[in-house]
Amino acid sequence: MLRYYKKPTGIYIMLCTLALVLFLVCVIPNDDLPFLVCLILYLFMLCIILFAGKFASRLALSEHNRIQKTLDEQCDPQAYIDSLSPMMKRAMKVEKITNGASYYGAMLRLNRAVALSCLGEFDEAIEETDKVLSLAATDKYRIIKMMGCHNLASFYRTRAGEGDIETAREKLSTAKELLRELQPTLSTNFPTYHNIICCMEHSIDIDESKNLESAREFFKKQLEFPTGTRAELSYRDALARICLALGETDAANEQFAVIAQKGSKTYLGREAAKKLA
């Protein structure tokens, strides 16, 4: 999962406006002050207000990253859901995606849906993701649709004991098409998004026993540089499934043992433990 955080540009505009209002109300009426002094006072107020805003933004980002680690590094989806701050919960009440704040709220809801899937609550994860996708009404927020469709492909593929591969491929196809449309705007981030799409494509191939050696090579490379413990477990699960498809039971169990140990609080970890029992 990517760590989504969008800088609150709108807040900075509001802070600049506040500084201007304070300047007009508190400084301009004083006829005894020279213009240069008034200007210096205005810039001083602006610096203080912007500094306070930047400090608050940094605190919010730090809190966001700390909570995200409970899911991506500690593999504790329930702790992630329980740790969402009141500010984050307010942001998640977004009813329409129109600005940076509502974009952030929508991304948080996508992350929460991923956490639900990590608990094995696939139906709830699918329902929540569908709701978020309905909020992204304009092309401006196609990245939300792209990530949401990718996540839905994962949920449908993994869905507890009854994976829906056909629907998973449909959702992935939509995500791939959206990614192609977004490529000119993603710049340096494009390889990251392209990589997660490739991960899902190979993962679905494994379920259909297609291109197994190509998938094995791909996930071995991914395992060399995982973006977090949860990502590592996902790669190991893919390799384990390849081993099972090829009849390499001992090699599969080695991967399942790591998954069960590191991901004991996740659906993936519980399923791995069952396979080892």
Side-chain angles (χ1 to χ4, degrees):
M1 184 198 312
L2 299 178
R3 297 180 182 181
Y4 315 105
Y5 187 81
K6 194 172 181 72
K7 291 184 178 180
T9 306
I11 293 178
Y12 288 121
I13 294 174
M14 290 175 61
L15 292 174
C16 290
T17 304
L18 175 60
L20 179 60
V21 170
L22 288 174
F23 174 70
L24 293 175
V25 172
C26 302
V27 178
I28 290 296
N30 193 332
D31 296 330
D32 296 331
L33 292 176
F35 173 78
L36 183 58
V37 173
C38 292
L39 181 60
I40 292 173
L41 287 173
Y42 168 69
L43 293 175
F44 179 70
M45 285 189 289
L46 182 62
C47 288
I48 290 177
I49 291 175
L50 287 178
F51 177 79
K54 191 172 184 64
F55 180 71
S57 179
R58 284 183 178 275
L59 282 179
L61 177 58
S62 175
E63 178 71 358
H64 170 91
N65 290 339
R66 182 189 68 79
I67 293 175
Q68 192 68 47
K69 284 182 179 179
T70 61
L71 183 62
D72 293 343
E73 302 293 343
Q74 300 167 24
C75 294
D76 192 341
Q78 189 59 57
Y80 169 81
I81 293 172
D82 293 341
S83 297
L84 291 171
S85 68
M87 180 200 73
M88 291 178 174
K89 290 177 180 177
R90 284 195 299 273
M92 290 167 66
K93 291 179 180 179
V94 55
E95 296 182 357
K96 187 176 181 181
I97 304 172
T98 57
N99 53 33
S102 56
Y103 170 95
Y104 176 57
M107 286 301 194
L108 280 174
R109 288 182 66 174
L110 288 183
N111 281 2
R112 182 177 179 276
V114 170
L116 287 169
S117 75
C118 290
L119 290 170
E121 303 293 340
F122 294 101
D123 288 339
E124 191 175 348
I126 290 170
E127 181 181 359
E128 177 70 354
T129 304
D130 281 335
K131 288 179 180 177
V132 175
L133 293 183
S134 70
L135 302 178
T138 66
D139 286 346
K140 183 179 179 181
Y141 299 103
R142 281 178 298 180
I143 191 168
I144 292 176
K145 291 184 179 180
M146 187 269 291
M147 287 306 306
C149 287
H150 163 271
N151 292 351
L152 284 173
S154 174
F155 303 158
Y156 278 109
R157 186 201 71 76
T158 320
R159 206 171 189 172
E162 49 185 52
D164 184 346
I165 300 301
E166 184 178 350
T167 303
R169 280 210 181 274
E170 289 176 4
K171 299 299 182 182
L172 183 62
S173 178
T174 302
K176 288 170 66 176
E177 180 59 33
L178 287 167
L179 182 60
R180 279 193 290 270
E181 294 174 6
L182 286 164
Q183 183 173 357
T185 64
L186 290 176
S187 185
T188 56
N189 289 326
F190 176 78
T192 301
Y193 288 111
H194 181 261
N195 192 63
I196 65 171
I197 294 293
C198 288
C199 283
M200 184 51 54
E201 192 159 30
H202 282 299
S203 194
I204 294 174
D205 279 348
I206 294 168
D207 288 337
E208 297 182 323
S209 296
K210 296 179 179 178
N211 307 313
L212 295 180
E213 289 301 334
S214 173
R216 193 206 297 261
E217 183 179 351
F218 175 83
F219 283 111
K220 278 185 175 180
K221 288 182 179 179
Q222 297 302 307
L223 199 55
E224 293 176 5
F225 304 101
T227 54
T229 305
R230 194 173 65 83
E232 175 196 341
L233 301 187
S234 176
Y235 304 151
R236 289 187 182 280
D237 177 70
L239 290 170
R241 290 186 287 118
I242 292 170
C243 290
L244 287 180
L246 296 173
E248 302 169 1
T249 306
D250 290 343
N253 286 340
E254 288 179 10
Q255 299 294 350
F256 285 136
V258 177
I259 296 169
Q261 188 266 319
K262 291 187 175 183
S264 60
K265 297 178 181 179
T266 68
Y267 170 81
L268 208 61
R270 295 194 300 271
E271 290 299 304
K274 289 179 185 178
K275 290 179 173 69
L276 292 169

